């Protein structure tokens, strides 16, 4: 099984069925209004999977996060590292700080919502620090990034274009994962959750 990061469409985001995120969506909109911000209402419908289209997001958290944690500790403040890695829901809303809601998000009694623009800025800093190559997959429709790192393409590129990114491919994977998750959330306008 394992843990995945997945994009969520409007039906699941606003739905009230078991496994849907309607309670999170409602609580977030109440909090956004309380902060004087517009509600988050423009979530696209989920599309059929078309590999390489960039219309959906699904990646599996496989490698150890030890090296990534050390990189975050070295390059980010504790608050920044928590904002990059500690969310349960990522939304394409510019938030100055994470939103903590007493709502079950599927894995915990509290839901931590982070704004993708802030997460993107933090992930870009880490990508620059390890000189992450532009060759990593852009589309993350069907474990494309996970497969690229685990099935050998990353090792092949590391052999021909070594650099700080290739010293620990597990660390590079998580930098790329958070980078691509934030980019996808902003580009598609959709939430990303752990599943």
């Amino acid at each position: 099984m394992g843990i995945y990061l997945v994009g969520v469409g409007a039906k699941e985001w606003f739905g009230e069925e078991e496994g849907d995120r309607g309670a999170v969506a409602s609580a977030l909109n109440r909090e956004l209004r309380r902060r004087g911000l517009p509600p988050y209402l423009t979530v696209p419908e989920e599309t059929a999977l078309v590999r390489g289209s960039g219309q959906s997001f699904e990646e599996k958290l496989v490698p150890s996060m030890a090296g990534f944690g050390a990189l975050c500790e070295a390059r980010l403040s504790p608050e920044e590292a928590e904002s990059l890695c500690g969310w349960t829901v990522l939304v394409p809303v510019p938030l100055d700080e994470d939103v903590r809601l007493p709502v079950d998000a599927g894995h915990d009694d509290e839901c931590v919502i982070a704004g993708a623009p802030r997460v993107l800025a933090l992930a870009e800093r880490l990508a620059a620090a390890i000189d992450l190559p532009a060759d990593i997959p852009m589309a993350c429709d069907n474990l494309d990034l996970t497969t690229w790192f685990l099935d050998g393409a990353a090792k092949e590129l590391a052999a021909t274009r070594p650099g700080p990114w290739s010293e620990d491919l597990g660390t590079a994977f998580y930098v790329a994962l958070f980078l691509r998750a934030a980019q996808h959330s902003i580009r598609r306008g959709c939430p990303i959750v752990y599943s």
Side-chain angles (χ1 to χ4, degrees), residues 54-70:
Q55 296 300 302
S56 59
F57 190 96
E58 178 185 13
E59 294 295 344
K60 186 174 184 180
L61 284 67
V62 179
S64 166
M65 291 188 86
F68 179 68

Side-chain angles (χ1 to χ4, degrees), residues 30-177:
R30 283 192 300 273
E31 180 61 19
L32 291 173
R33 285 185 188 101
R34 190 187 72 72
R35 293 180 181 198
L37 298 170
Y40 172 45
L41 301 172
T42 56
V43 178
E45 291 295 339
E46 191 171 323
T47 61
L49 176 65
V50 177
R51 193 171 185 91
S53 70
Q55 296 300 302
S56 59
F57 190 96
E58 178 185 13
E59 294 295 344
K60 186 174 184 180
L61 284 67
V62 179
S64 166
M65 291 188 86
F68 179 68
L71 177 66
C72 289
E73 190 174 299
R75 297 290 183 153
L76 302 174
S77 71
E79 294 79 19
E80 289 171 331
E82 178 65 23
S83 194
L84 175 66
C85 309
W87 50 266
T88 48
V89 178
L90 184 67
V91 294
V93 176
L95 299 170
D96 292 336
E97 60 185 25
D98 296 343
V99 175
R100 295 184 176 277
L101 301 170
V103 178
D104 182 2
H107 295 288
D108 206 342
D109 291 339
E110 180 181 60
C111 179
V112 179
I113 300 175
R118 185 164 185 233
V119 168
L120 177 60
L122 295 169
E124 286 173 337
R125 280 176 44 198
L126 294 183
I130 65 167
D131 197 21
L132 191 69
D135 305 65
I136 62 170
M138 288 294 291
C140 299
D141 298 296
N142 188 18
L143 306 176
D144 296 329
L145 195 61
T146 305
T147 302
W148 191 83
F149 272 95
L150 297 181
D151 288 354
K155 288 180 184 172
E156 290 172 15
L157 184 63
T160 59
R161 292 206 357 244
W165 77 276
S166 65
E167 293 169 9
D168 180 348
L169 293 180
T171 296
F173 169 78
Y174 285 107
V175 171
L177 177 70

Side-chain angles (χ1 to χ4, degrees), residues 2-6 21 107 193-195:
I3 299 174
Y4 294 80
L5 275 182
V6 297
R21 312 290 172 151
H107 295 288
V193 300
Y194 287 90
S195 174

Side-chain angles (χ1 to χ4, degrees), residues 9 12 16 18 27 31 54 75 116 134 154-155 171-172 188 192:
E12 181 181 337
E16 298 297 331
E18 184 177 339
E31 180 61 19
R75 297 290 183 153
K155 288 180 184 172
T171 296
R188 287 278 295 145
I192 294 186

